[in-house]
Amino acid sequence: MQQPASEPTGEANDVDLTPMLDVVFIMLIFFLVTASFVRETGLDVAPPTASPPEPTESANVLVGISASDEFFVAGRSVDRRTVGANVIAALADDPEATVVIRADAQSTTAALVLVIDELRRNGIGDYALARLE
């Protein structure tokens, strides 16, 4: 013979979450209290102070590239194969001078690369680039 299925007696079969909430709140309070006492130690670092660069007395040797890819050294029109030699001649007068390449915005990149290659071929590795608008 089978027994009849038990009927609910009115008690709730739910899980009581109150102890779990108590534990969570206690952990929250613990972490808040301990976090307020933790102090990070570090070094006070003063940023470096930079002085403005001193103006140099030497002039610049200008290497110009026009919009039509013509080359100029110190205001004189030169052939593309003699750019390096003309810059070396200009640097002989003032060895501390800075070589500045001023390329027109309409000039080609190939002309600029050609000038840089000529300078490097002649042992000039320090130069500055400028662009004409």
Side-chain angles (χ1 to χ4, degrees):
M1 174 181 271
Q2 283 188 337
Q3 291 186 339
S6 63
E7 294 182 19
T9 59
E11 284 187 33
N13 291 331
D14 294 335
V15 176
D16 188 17
L17 296 178
T18 305
M20 185 178 76
L21 290 175
D22 289 342
V23 169
V24 169
F25 284 129
I26 289 172
M27 287 176 55
L28 177 67
I29 292 169
F30 174 76
F31 287 126
L32 287 175
V33 169
T34 57
S36 66
F37 291 116
V38 174
R39 299 283 181 218
E40 294 291 329
T41 58
L43 298 174
D44 292 332
V45 178
T49 57
S51 60
E54 296 178 13
T56 58
E57 297 298 323
S58 64
N60 294 330
V61 176
L62 295 177
V63 178
I65 304 173
S66 69
S68 59
D69 290 343
E70 296 177 60
F71 302 101
F72 299 90
V73 175
R76 293 187 349 253
S77 178
V78 296
D79 186 45
R80 68 179 184 90
R81 294 178 297 266
T82 62
V83 170
N86 282 302
V87 170
I88 287 178
L91 286 176
D93 297 335
D94 188 5
E96 297 297 318
T98 303
V99 178
V100 178
I101 303 170
R102 295 179 65 184
D104 191 275
Q106 302 298 320
S107 64
T108 62
T109 305
L112 178 63
V113 170
L114 188 133
V115 169
I116 293 172
D117 285 345
E118 280 294 314
L119 292 176
R120 287 187 179 166
R121 192 173 301 131
N122 287 289
I124 302 168
D126 294 332
Y127 52 85
L129 298 176
R131 182 175 139 194
L132 293 176
E133 295 294 328

